[in-house]
Amino acid sequence: MKGLPYFCRGEVIRGFGRGSKELGIPTANFPDSVVDHLPADVSTGIYYGWACVDNGDIHKMVMSIGWNPYYKNTKKSMETHVIHTFKEDFYGQILSVVMVGYIRPERSYDSLEALISAINNDIEEAKARLEVPEHMKLKEDNFFTASGSTSKSTGSTIMNGH
Ligand code: ADP
Ligand code: RBF
Ligand code: MG
């Protein structure tokens, strides 16, 4: 997929407040400044990659980019579900991500159950696909260790405040 890997970071803001957390799938939302910087060749859809909160550990992630057709959002969003159980919320903290692969386009579903089950499939897909050495390597990228540095890998790096 063109434009990958794509590195970005930004503050975690409040999202649509739809209670994705209650569904067991919280998503950390990026502000418009990060969404608006996405290059044109990074299309909407579901991606997988690595993520870390502030200077914390690096975890696998899945990300949804687009208008959530199931909810018919009017605003484009970038929402990251970090595949890890956190003790506390991390609103206001800096989320760093690298998107390494594409899973599927966003689509609408007949029921909430169907949407949840699709997301759970994405999570399993991400866990498996990230195991290959080529993707494991990106975990070690100095984008994650040296906060504020520019990645030596291909793809853009956006600094938002940090
Ligand atoms: P919102 O609509 O405000 O984005 P969500 O229900 O999607 O609300 O919950 C997202 C928030 O949950 C994140 O901003 C973060 O603070 C917290 N959170 C806790 N665990 C996770 C996780 N594993 N992945 C993403 N966000 C998480
Ligand atoms: N929303 C959709 O409308 N259609 C989708 O296909 C879709 N896929 C998603 C896949 C993943 C991995 C994640 C994390 C979210 C996805 N969403 C999708 C967004 C979802 O609707 C949103 O996170 C919750 O509705 C927020 O409560
Ligand atoms: Mg959210």
Side-chain angles (χ1 to χ4, degrees), residues 115-144:
L115 172 63
I116 294 170
S117 120
I119 298 177
N120 283 321
N121 282 340
D122 297 331
I123 292 171
E124 292 312 312
E125 190 83 29
K127 282 186 190 166
R129 291 207 210 170
L130 285 165
E131 288 299 313
V132 303
E134 180 198 349
H135 293 336
M136 281 289 190
K137 203 171 68 201
L138 285 165
K139 235 184 123 168
E140 315 304 330
D141 195 283
N142 71 359
F143 171 73
F144 287 116

Side-chain angles (χ1 to χ4, degrees), residues 42-77:
V42 175
S43 62
T44 59
I46 314 308
Y47 291 82
Y48 62 92
W50 302 103
C52 86
V53 178
D54 282 349
N55 295 318
D57 293 338
I58 301 161
H59 302 286
K60 292 175 176 175
M61 68 81 171
V62 278
M63 184 193 285
S64 167
I65 302 180
W67 290 271
N68 298 12
Y70 181 82
Y71 291 97
K72 301 185 173 66
N73 288 348
T74 52
K75 216 173 126 186
K76 186 174 177 182
S77 69

Side-chain angles (χ1 to χ4, degrees), residues 10-60:
E11 188 181 337
V12 175
I13 59 152
R14 300 228 165 234
F16 302 103
R18 257 192 229 112
S20 51
K21 218 179 281 171
E22 280 75 15
L23 307 176
I25 314 168
T27 59
N29 291 53
F30 274 136
D32 290 345
S33 55
V34 176
V35 182
D36 295 344
H37 267 98
L38 268 178
D41 58 2
V42 175
S43 62
T44 59
I46 314 308
Y47 291 82
Y48 62 92
W50 302 103
C52 86
V53 178
D54 282 349
N55 295 318
D57 293 338
I58 301 161
H59 302 286
K60 292 175 176 175

Side-chain angles (χ1 to χ4, degrees), residues 9-10 26 46 56 59 70 80 98 113 115 125 135 154 156 159:
R9 70 174 126 239
I46 314 308
H59 302 286
Y70 181 82
T80 304
V98 54
E113 290 67 35
L115 172 63
E125 190 83 29
H135 293 336
T154 55
S156 327
M159 296 299 133

